[in-house]
């Protein structure tokens, strides 16, 4: 499905200028809104819509009238607690100065928490395979300003528009401290509504031997998996499952031992 860029119902001059920039940067067509509704414009243009508003980008996949847009999501409250007690930080063994690769960036909430933890001496990179979603999140990380305590961490996150396995192949062995993967759950969690607009659009690729093998080659310390509590991927791929009572997802970890790479 093609994507086009447009503006709000009644665009300002700045929104029109922004749409011009987005069109050029993503190399997609800009189409005038002409006061059309989202669903009417989708039908007329037979395209997904990327809409430039005053303060954010909104992405409307074909047939959806509820948008995807960037916001810090769970990072907003997770970063107000002691970071060393965050379940992801704890299971990953992430410390200040570490490097962290998020293979499944999504809204980047896990990457924001990781960036806050590793600090300015650390590095956080996130992969998003859908180019428009990657662009929306990258722009949001650079522009979002409603949570000052997160701004510095958000600005440091590097967004890569590519498949995680392809990116891992480009990296030297033992080059990233923590590799993190959170594939879209095969069982939907109804409480997790943030990705509702993306059902059918986001990459639903599941874990593979190749993915885990590349992650283990690149990781220096740990490879971490987040999956539905019913998932058998933990056992299938050799992750030590960390049970989390009364939650619908668990973490699993593979600790990288230096002698295992010799």
């Amino acid at each position: 499905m093609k994507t086009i860029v447009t503006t709000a119902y009644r665009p300002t001059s700045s929104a029109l200028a922004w749409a011009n920039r987005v069109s050029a940067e993503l190399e997609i067509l800009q189409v005038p809104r002409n006061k059309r509704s989202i669903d009417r414009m989708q039908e007329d243009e037979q395209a997904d819509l990327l809409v430039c508003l005053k303060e954010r980008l909104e992405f409307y996949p074909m047939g959806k009238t509820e948008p995807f847009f960037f916001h810090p999501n769970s990072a907003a409250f997770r970063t107000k607690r002691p970071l060393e007690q965050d379940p992801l930080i704890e299971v990953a063994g992430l410390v200040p100065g570490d490097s962290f690769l998020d293979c499944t960036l999504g809204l980047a909430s896990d990457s924001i928490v990781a960036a806050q933890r590793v600090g300015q001496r650390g590095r956080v990179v996130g992969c998003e395979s859908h180019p428009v979603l990657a662009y929306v999140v990258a722009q949001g990380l650079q522009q979002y300003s409603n949570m000052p305590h997160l701004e510095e961490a958000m600005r440091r996150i590097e967004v890569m528009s590519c498949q995680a396995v392809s990116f891992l192949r480009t990296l030297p062995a033992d080059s990233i401290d923590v590799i993190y993967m959170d594939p879209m759950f095969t069982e939907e969690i109804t409480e997790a509504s943030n990705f509702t607009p993306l059902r059918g659009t986001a990459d639903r690729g599941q874990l593979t031997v190749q993915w885990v093998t590349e992650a283990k080659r690149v990781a220096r310390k740990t490879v971490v998996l987040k999956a539905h509590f019913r998932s058998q991927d933990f056992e299938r791929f050799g992750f030590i499952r960390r049970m989390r009572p009364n939650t619908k997802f668990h973490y699993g970890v593979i600790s990288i031992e230096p002698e295992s790479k010799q």
Side-chain angles (χ1 to χ4, degrees):
M1 179 63 65
K2 70 176 181 179
T3 300
I4 60 174
V5 62
T6 189
T7 60
Y9 194 74
R10 291 185 173 85
T12 63
S13 58
S14 60
L16 286 167
W18 191 7
N20 283 332
R21 291 196 301 273
V22 172
S23 174
E25 290 172 1
L26 283 177
E27 299 182 340
I28 59 177
L29 184 66
Q30 180 185 352
V31 177
R33 182 72 177 264
N34 291 336
K35 298 183 179 180
R36 288 177 288 179
S37 66
I38 292 296
D39 53 354
R40 174 61 185 274
M41 195 166 183
Q42 288 173 333
E43 182 64 26
D44 288 349
E45 306 298 335
Q46 286 298 295
D48 297 336
L49 302 184
L50 184 57
V51 182
C52 296
L53 302 179
K54 182 179 179 180
E55 296 180 344
R56 72 186 189 195
L57 292 171
E58 291 188 346
F59 180 56
Y60 294 84
M62 185 71 175
K64 305 287 187 180
T65 55
E66 182 181 350
F68 171 85
F69 57 90
F70 174 79
H71 55 91
N73 199 18
S74 65
F77 60 84
R78 289 167 64 189
T79 53
K80 291 183 179 180
R81 302 169 179 170
L83 286 176
E84 65 274 11
Q85 296 176 16
D86 183 87
L88 171 59
I89 300 302
E90 185 178 11
V91 73
L94 201 64
V95 298
D98 273 354
S99 52
F100 179 90
L101 172 59
D102 188 342
C103 291
T104 45
L105 184 64
L107 275 169
S109 56
D110 289 315
S111 285
I112 294 170
V113 175
Q116 192 88 324
R117 175 61 169 168
V118 302
Q120 293 184 3
R121 294 186 296 108
R123 183 189 182 198
V124 174
V125 181
C127 292
E128 171 52 59
S129 61
H130 192 294
V132 176
L133 301 186
Y135 187 85
V136 170
V137 173
Q139 293 290 305
L141 287 167
Q142 294 304 310
Q143 298 172 2
Y144 194 87
S145 58
N146 291 341
M147 295 184 180
H149 79 286
L150 293 180
E151 285 183 24
E152 192 274 334
M154 288 192 293
R155 305 299 187 257
R156 284 190 283 103
I157 297 171
E158 306 166 44
V159 178
M160 308 298 296
S161 178
C162 60
Q163 291 276 357
V165 177
S166 298
F167 184 65
L168 283 165
R169 286 182 186 141
T170 70
L171 299 175
D174 308 316
S175 58
I176 301 289
D177 290 301
V178 175
I179 310 291
Y180 174 60
M181 45 192 69
D182 175 17
M184 188 169 284
F185 295 167
T186 53
E187 296 191 49
E188 183 176 348
I189 294 179
T190 55
E191 295 89 338
S193 60
N194 301 299
F195 284 92
T196 299
L198 301 182
R199 297 291 172 187
T201 301
D203 188 351
R204 300 185 67 88
Q206 297 302 302
L207 216 55
T208 63
V209 171
Q210 186 179 48
W211 190 354
V212 176
T213 299
E214 285 296 322
K216 289 164 66 177
R217 179 186 66 83
V218 173
R220 277 195 294 257
K221 293 172 56 175
T222 55
V223 179
V224 178
L225 171 66
K226 177 183 176 182
H228 194 279
F229 74 93
R230 292 196 185 99
S231 174
Q232 298 303 307
D233 283 351
F234 299 105
E235 293 75 22
R236 184 179 299 124
F237 294 103
F239 290 84
I240 303 301
R241 186 192 292 254
R242 300 290 180 87
M243 306 296 289
R244 303 181 70 239
N246 304 315
T247 63
K248 293 190 176 181
F249 63 87
H250 291 165
Y251 290 107
V253 62
I254 297 173
S255 296
I256 305 299
E257 303 294 338
E259 56 269 19
S260 68
K261 295 193 173 186
Q262 296 177 359

